[in-house]
Amino acid sequence: MRTPYNEFEWDKNNSGKNLKLHGISDTEIEQMFENPNIVIPHKEYADRRIVLGMTNGGKFLFLSIQHRTNTKCRPIHARLMEPDEKAIYDKQVKQEE
């Protein structure tokens, strides 16, 4: 499954932040949307989503985004997936093959 997002709204506070904090570049975040990914509704905010996906280099990432339009999102926070998140991702991707 791929999300419909192909436009990214980077604000000055978030661009480059994940590279400093978690070693994940803005380019890697955008690559998640070119590969199989899973979108999960955020538990607290109606306009936010959690995306589990993989970069072109094979990093498995957890990403929090703010939904803007059907094609645009604002990345908020990215980090490597935890083992339980990776299990969810693997199971979902395998079901969709």
Side-chain angles (χ1 to χ4, degrees), residues 35-54:
N35 295 303
N37 55 63
I38 300 167
V39 179
I40 303 166
H42 197 283
K43 292 180 182 180
E44 296 178 32
Y45 303 99
D47 66 337
R48 294 195 182 175
R49 314 285 187 270
I50 301 300
V51 182
L52 302 179
M54 183 178 70

Side-chain angles (χ1 to χ4, degrees), residues 27-90:
T27 300
E28 288 176 307
I29 290 170
E30 291 182 9
Q31 288 173 0
M32 290 178 61
F33 296 91
E34 300 168 5
N35 295 303
N37 55 63
I38 300 167
V39 179
I40 303 166
H42 197 283
K43 292 180 182 180
E44 296 178 32
Y45 303 99
D47 66 337
R48 294 195 182 175
R49 314 285 187 270
I50 301 300
V51 182
L52 302 179
M54 183 178 70
T55 68
N56 293 347
K59 287 184 183 177
F60 293 93
L61 304 181
F62 169 103
L63 174 66
S64 175
I65 63 169
Q66 185 173 31
H67 174 83
R68 293 294 201 204
T69 69
N70 287 337
T71 59
K72 184 190 284 187
C73 69
R74 182 174 75 88
I76 298 171
H77 173 79
R79 60 169 171 74
L80 295 176
M81 282 186 206
E82 297 289 339
D84 60 325
E85 295 159 347
K86 176 74 166 61
I88 292 167
Y89 174 81
D90 288 342

